[in-house]
Amino acid sequence: MQTTLPAAPTPDDAALWHGGRLYLADQRLLPDRAEFLALDDAPGVAEAIRAMVVRGAPAIGVAAAYGVVLAARTAYRAAGPAWHDAVTADLDLLAQARPTAVNLAWAVRRMAALIARLDGADPEPALLAEALSIHAEDRAANRRMGDLGAGLITGPTDVITHCNAGAIATGGYGTALGVIRSAYAAGKIRRVYADETRPWMQGARLTAWELMDSGIPVTLQADGAAASLMAGGGVGWVIVGSDRIAANGDVANKIGTYGLAILARYHGVKVMVAAPTSTVDMDLSCGRDIPIEERDPEELLSCGGRRLAPAGCAARNPVFDVTPAALVDAIVTERGVVLAPTLEKMRALMG
């Protein structure tokens, strides 16, 4: 996306292409250290996605698109004009890196569609142009969503966000935090309350870091503290992102979002989901069909390398939950806003 590489990543630098390599901001190290991880092949990109070097559905899609460029380069060097057959395994590896974030499969399919149209010549220039387009389109979409989402907020008000749906989770600017950035600039948000988001602490490590970098007032709270905050009044919106939205408007997002939406409905707080249309999966009729990733139970049993739970304790570690469309007041995309989403309204949006 740029000709020079920053000395250290900023929130808008989840993924950058520079000098023929993919650079990913290593989100496992933030906020203690801001460092890039340089990658030269598709298996490395797939592992970086799996290992949470890069996370956030749009950022995963962008990284996967660049991963396809690296896969094609490797295949062409190995097989020359027969590179089409040689690239298939790496495309499958990228597509399977994480199951819930639909942007990953969407980006690989888009790149694969271009591959199908290419001849036996060097595919890298055409595929790189497509990956750069995917990246640029995501940045532009997030800016558009920021403006549309901010338009729904009457302020000034406080808001709650859960997990991290900011610039570092996208191609730039952010989805949920993009709305927050635009609304704060318009004087509509007083303060953001960021849930810590156990067990990977994306709210504590990433959302707080991003908002502080943008000069937006942020207060961190334990995931279980949201109800008492809502009960005190002053919170107008819960604003979150999404990893997959079903055809009926059911929303998969970071574990804890469903409970937050229930609390919001009880307290009269509105729920906004900001996500690009690449996150909408019209092939899945409802949220029950969304595959929910489960990660290593050790992520719950330990923290910072220190064991918390007693030996032999079982743990359940789903990464996402599904919020029914009935609990969502608005889905904001770059194509427009869907209020009180239904299957018919989602079909109209996706056209």
Side-chain angles (χ1 to χ4, degrees):
M1 287 295 292
Q2 58 188 63
T3 57
T4 58
L5 190 71
T10 71
D12 285 297
D13 298 328
L16 294 174
W17 183 269
H18 174 73
R21 309 177 85 187
L22 173 61
Y23 290 83
L24 297 177
D26 194 336
Q27 298 185 36
R28 302 168 301 181
L29 306 178
L30 292 167
D32 291 339
R33 304 196 309 277
E35 296 180 4
F36 284 111
L37 181 67
L39 297 164
D40 296 298
D41 57 43
V45 176
E47 175 58 21
I49 292 170
R50 188 204 64 77
M52 304 276 280
V53 171
V54 59
R55 31 76 41 212
I60 288 172
V62 170
Y66 287 125
V68 173
V69 179
L70 295 172
R73 175 197 291 169
T74 299
Y76 185 71
R77 288 175 176 174
W83 66 269
H84 286 84
D85 293 333
V87 80
T88 302
D90 276 348
L91 264 61
D92 291 342
L93 188 66
L94 287 164
Q96 295 168 11
R98 293 192 69 186
T100 302
V102 71
N103 307 63
L104 172 60
W106 170 86
V108 174
R109 283 198 306 270
R110 176 166 162 178
M111 298 294 284
L114 176 56
I115 285 174
R117 301 193 299 270
L118 297 177
D119 59 21
D122 184 359
E124 183 173 346
L127 289 171
L128 178 57
E130 187 74 353
L132 290 168
S133 292
I134 288 173
H135 197 166
E137 288 165 15
D138 188 68
R139 286 179 184 264
N142 292 340
R143 291 278 184 176
R144 173 69 173 154
M145 282 186 280
D147 292 341
L148 291 172
L152 298 176
I153 300 172
T154 56
T157 185
D158 295 339
V159 301
I160 298 174
T161 192
H162 186 73
C163 192
N164 172 262
I168 202 72
T170 69
Y173 199 68
T175 54
L177 291 197
V179 170
I180 287 170
R181 288 167 81 168
S182 295
Y184 181 76
K188 294 183 173 183
I189 289 179
R190 292 187 300 258
R191 178 166 293 274
V192 181
Y193 287 87
D195 289 351
E196 60 180 352
T197 323
R198 280 277 292 156
W200 270 78
M201 310 300 283
Q202 293 98 323
R205 295 188 303 104
L206 303 176
T207 296
W209 173 69
E210 281 202 45
L211 291 172
M212 291 173 69
D213 183 79
S214 297
I216 298 174
V218 56
T219 296
L220 185 67
Q221 65 179 1
D223 292 357
S228 62
L229 178 66
M230 292 182 191
V235 176
W237 286 88
V238 169
I239 306 176
V240 298
S242 176
D243 287 78
R244 190 178 302 212
I245 301 173
N248 69 339
D250 291 348
V251 174
N253 193 49
K254 183 57 58 183
I255 189 73
T257 304
Y258 179 26
L260 194 60
I262 292 172
L263 293 173
R265 181 55 55 95
Y266 179 83
H267 289 97
V269 174
K270 294 182 178 181
V271 174
M272 183 190 308
V273 177
T277 50
S278 58
T279 301
V280 179
D281 189 347
M282 295 302 291
D283 292 332
L284 295 185
S285 62
C286 66
R288 289 191 304 273
D289 299 327
I290 298 174
I292 300 300
E293 177 185 356
E294 294 217 19
R295 291 181 64 87
D296 186 353
E298 193 61 30
E299 294 177 355
L300 282 180
L301 299 171
S302 302
C303 184
R306 178 177 177 270
R307 180 81 179 190
L308 298 177
C313 180
R316 173 176 171 265
N317 189 21
V319 184
F320 306 96
D321 55 25
V322 176
T323 300
L327 295 177
V328 177
D329 293 280
I331 293 176
V332 179
T333 77
E334 78 281 9
R335 293 190 189 179
V337 175
V338 177
L339 301 177
T342 63
L343 174 60
E344 292 72 22
K345 292 178 181 179
M346 295 302 295
R347 282 176 174 165
L349 173 76
M350 298 302 291

